[in-house]
């Protein structure tokens, strides 16, 4: 058997298949590159299943496809050597112990390199995810930019479609640190060198979702999650440090002055979005492994798309909030709310504490529009439990906090044209004057019922 490095997605796939074969579906029959992967994921999700998919024969893609890796929180927790109920703590424990990357002279990503006129992006493996998408899209592309003076890197996800033989149309709609770096290049009148990684190890991909201060480097966090320095090589033209064991890397420049048509694309809101910064990424070099695998991320409001974006954010939120408010027992961003809702469970110790917690989180997380606070005995991983708490503990005339005119997310279809939003906190805790005892079934009766149902088949 071929031996792969532990920072290789192929090593992850082989090891995970050996340990959890029930959690991977391998499809050998031919499937189309036009929405079939998305349709499979949606069909499984409707049945409450979120396995990883390994598609061996995808017409038009020219490669095998691995997708739905992050659709299961149990699977993400296993990547971190933990369980879903300890996911936040496991992520923070590793992310808070970063490693500086180890620079290698070469690696598997340097097996095939083409540049200049030989670059033809039509040869890239890509999928069309939704019928409403403008074209095939790269959904797992992690763009790396480096500070021109310090070399500190920024990693972030940006959708991309082919614009020409050697260029991609992409959107920097987050207007985050990469946007800031590009504008620094614009002030100097030059394009910004970048690299796009397609198909890194899943822990590298999770690290790319981390929210760090400007000047901090997600590649260091990737090392922390892996428990060892991320092995990197430098791209041939611009010397950008990229994972040595990635499947595909595109090296080139973002032109701050060029604008090209891009979108619509099915975004995390569940809507097809044509909101875009319409940036042009000119590709000067393509680096890839032999027989490169396409690691794809399901678009739209898929569990994978939402989990990949929110797990690092959730983990950071939980750490910060619990440090300030020890009465908090759990924080959860439900899939039903895309990235716009959060639930908090807590043991409220004094009047008004739930309101203070809501205001803190609404002010801190730019994505959020609604925060619901409930008591610690409410299972916030279940929407039905939170709705029950709202129905039985909540009085609209006194338990609502609404704040207007705050910065919102550019992809929120309900937000204003300038991107502002209102935010709301709902206090669904019982409060000090609540009278009522929650009905419950004894453990003994539950055990008897389970035994009876088991014997009945």
């Amino acid at each position: 058997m071929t031996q792969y490095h532990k920072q290789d997605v192929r090593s992850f796939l082989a090891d995970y298949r050996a340990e959890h074969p029930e959690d991977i579906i391998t499809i050998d029959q031919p499937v189309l590159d036009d929405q079939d992967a998305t349709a499979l994921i949606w069909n499984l999700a409707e049945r409450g299943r979120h396995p990883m998919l390994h598609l061996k024969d995808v017409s038009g893609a020219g490669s095998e496809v691995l997708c739905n890796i992050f659709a299961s929180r149990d699977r993400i927790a296993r990547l971190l050597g933990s369980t879903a109920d300890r996911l936040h703590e496991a992520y923070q424990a590793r992310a808070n112990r970063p490693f500086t990357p180890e620079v290698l002279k070469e690696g598997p990503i340097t097996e095939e390199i083409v540049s200049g006129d030989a670059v033809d992006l039509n040869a890239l493996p890509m999928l069309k995810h939704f019928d409403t998408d403008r074209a095939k899209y790269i959904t797992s592309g992690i763009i790396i930019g480096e500070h021109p003076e310090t070399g500190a890197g920024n990693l972030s996800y940006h959708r991309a479609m082919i614009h020409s033989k050697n260029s991609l149309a992409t959107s920097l709609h987050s207007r985050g640190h990469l946007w800031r770096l590009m504008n620094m290049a614009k002030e100097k009148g030059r394009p910004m060198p970048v690299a796009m990684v397609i198909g890194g190890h899943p822990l590298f991909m999770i690290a790319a979702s981390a929210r760090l201060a400007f000047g901090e480097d997600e590649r260091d966090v990737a090392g922390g999650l892996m428990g060892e320095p991320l092995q990197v090589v430098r791209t041939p033209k611009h010397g950008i440090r990229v994972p040595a064991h990635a499947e595909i890397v595109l090296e080139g420049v973002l032109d701050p002055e060029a604008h090209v048509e891009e979108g619509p694309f099915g975004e995390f809101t569940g809507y097809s979005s044509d909101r875009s910064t319409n940036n042009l990424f000119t590709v000067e070099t393509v680096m890839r492994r032999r027989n490169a695998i396409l690691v794809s991320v399901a678009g739209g409001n898929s569990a994978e798309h939402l989990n990949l974006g929110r797990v690092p954010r959730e983990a950071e939120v939980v750490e910060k909030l619990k440090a300030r408010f020890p009465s908090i027992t759990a924080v959860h961003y439900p899939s039903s709310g895309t990235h716009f809702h959060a639930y908090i469970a807590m043991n409220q110790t004094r009047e008004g504490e739930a309101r203070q917690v809501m205001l803190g989180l609404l002010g801190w997380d730019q994505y959020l529009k609604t925060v619901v606070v409930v008591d610690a005995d409410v299972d916030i991983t279940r929407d039905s439990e939170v709705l029950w708490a709202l129905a039985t503990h909540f009085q609209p005339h006194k338990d609502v906090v609404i704040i207007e005119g705050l910065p919102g997310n550019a992809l929120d279809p309900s937000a204003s044209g300038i991107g502002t939003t209102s935010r709301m906190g709902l206090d669904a805790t019982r409060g000090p004057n609540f009278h009522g005892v929650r009905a419950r079934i004894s453990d003994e009766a539950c055990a008897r019922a389970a035994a009876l149902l088991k014997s009945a088949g």
Side-chain angles (χ1 to χ4, degrees):
M1 176 183 290
T2 303
Q3 295 296 312
Y4 297 115
H5 192 274
K6 65 179 291 188
Q7 295 185 16
D8 190 322
V9 69
R10 304 180 192 203
S11 176
F12 157 74
L13 177 58
D15 292 345
Y16 197 84
R17 192 191 302 278
E19 295 171 11
H20 303 283
E22 76 292 344
D23 201 27
I24 301 179
I25 293 178
T26 300
I27 297 180
D28 295 307
Q29 304 98 299
V31 299
L32 299 180
D33 59 354
D34 185 357
Q35 304 173 71
D36 280 13
T38 310
L40 286 165
I41 289 168
W42 252 250
N43 186 292
L44 287 161
E46 287 171 0
R47 291 183 273 162
R49 300 186 61 196
H50 301 281
M52 194 156 53
L53 292 180
H54 185 193
L55 311 179
K56 304 291 286 292
D57 185 1
V58 183
S59 65
S63 77
E64 298 180 11
V65 175
L66 185 64
C67 56
N68 221 33
I69 295 174
F70 306 99
S72 162
R73 292 172 76 90
D74 286 326
R75 195 154 54 245
I76 296 173
R78 288 168 185 159
L79 277 163
L80 297 167
S82 185
T83 54
D85 61 325
R86 303 290 296 174
L87 176 57
H88 299 143
E89 293 88 345
Y91 174 87
Q92 286 298 103
R94 294 196 185 198
N96 289 335
R97 294 195 298 269
F99 287 90
T100 302
E102 175 189 1
V103 181
L104 307 181
K105 291 184 178 179
E106 60 182 17
I109 191 58
T110 62
E111 288 176 347
E112 296 180 359
I113 300 177
V114 296
S115 59
D117 292 339
V119 171
D120 185 0
L121 300 180
N122 294 300
L124 281 180
M126 299 175 69
L127 301 176
K128 187 173 183 181
H129 297 263
F130 298 96
D131 190 41
T132 46
D133 289 353
R134 185 186 185 102
K136 293 182 182 180
Y137 262 85
I138 298 169
T139 55
S140 60
I142 298 167
I143 295 182
I144 303 178
E146 294 183 341
H147 193 287
E149 297 173 3
T150 67
N154 170 254
L155 278 61
S156 49
Y157 284 90
H158 301 280
R159 70 195 196 200
M161 53 171 273
I162 292 177
H163 175 68
S164 70
K165 178 174 176 286
N166 71 334
S167 66
L168 296 171
T170 188
S171 179
L172 312 188
H173 46 251
S174 64
R175 286 180 170 83
H177 297 330
L178 183 64
W179 181 264
R180 180 173 174 179
L181 289 170
M182 187 180 70
N183 279 288
M184 289 170 59
K186 182 178 181 178
E187 291 173 0
K188 295 182 179 180
R190 62 184 66 162
M192 178 189 174
V194 294
M196 176 182 281
V197 179
I198 306 170
H201 188 280
L203 289 173
F204 170 79
M205 296 179 69
I206 293 174
S209 290
R211 295 197 306 179
L212 306 180
F214 187 70
E216 295 181 331
D217 197 321
E218 288 89 351
R219 291 170 298 195
D220 298 351
V221 173
L225 298 185
M226 292 176 176
E228 64 181 24
L230 176 70
Q231 292 188 343
V232 298
V233 297
R234 295 188 180 275
T235 56
K237 185 169 184 178
H238 299 293
I240 298 169
R241 290 164 292 155
V242 299
H245 303 277
E247 295 292 316
I248 301 170
V249 170
L250 310 178
E251 177 193 30
V253 293
L254 286 174
D255 186 343
E257 302 292 348
H259 292 87
V260 294
E261 291 189 5
E262 186 274 321
F265 173 75
E267 273 291 352
F268 69 86
T269 59
Y271 281 92
S272 179
S273 173
D274 57 3
R275 293 185 181 181
S276 176
T277 57
N278 303 108
N279 291 103
L280 179 67
F281 175 19
T282 301
V283 178
E284 299 165 314
T285 309
V286 176
M287 308 167 67
R288 60 186 293 165
R289 301 183 60 154
R290 297 187 189 95
N291 303 314
I293 298 172
L294 172 60
V295 179
S296 183
V297 172
N301 56 342
S302 68
E304 175 170 50
H305 194 180
L306 295 171
N307 280 338
L308 185 56
R310 73 188 175 195
V311 165
R313 187 163 81 253
E314 276 186 1
E316 186 179 2
V317 165
V318 169
E319 184 176 73
K320 289 180 180 295
L321 284 179
K322 284 188 174 180
R324 175 65 181 85
F325 303 103
S327 55
I328 290 175
T329 58
V331 178
H332 179 60
Y333 285 63
S335 294
S336 59
T338 63
H339 289 316
F340 300 142
H341 290 180
Y343 302 153
I344 298 176
M346 65 183 296
N347 290 307
Q348 190 169 198
T349 58
R350 64 184 189 276
E351 183 74 17
E353 188 177 15
R355 183 168 294 222
Q356 189 177 16
V357 167
M358 291 187 299
L359 289 171
L361 184 52
L362 287 169
W364 186 77
D365 192 333
Q366 185 169 307
Y367 276 73
L368 285 177
K369 292 195 296 183
T370 303
V371 173
V372 183
V373 182
V374 298
D375 295 289
D377 63 342
V378 176
D379 182 357
I380 59 175
T381 66
R382 298 173 60 193
D383 284 333
S384 60
E385 283 273 296
V386 176
L387 290 173
W388 170 82
L390 276 170
T392 56
H393 306 159
F394 172 77
Q395 281 293 309
H397 73 286
K398 66 183 182 69
D399 293 328
V400 180
V401 176
I402 297 177
I403 308 165
E404 298 180 40
L406 295 176
N409 185 274
L411 296 179
D412 179 1
S414 72
S416 70
I418 58 173
T420 57
T421 187
S422 56
R423 300 187 185 180
M424 177 172 65
L426 304 176
D427 181 357
T429 59
R430 295 182 180 89
N433 300 315
F434 183 87
H435 299 287
V437 177
R438 189 167 182 179
R440 66 179 299 271
I441 303 169
S442 70
D443 293 340
E444 293 79 8
C446 289
R448 289 194 300 272
L452 286 169
L453 291 171
K454 184 177 180 180
S455 63

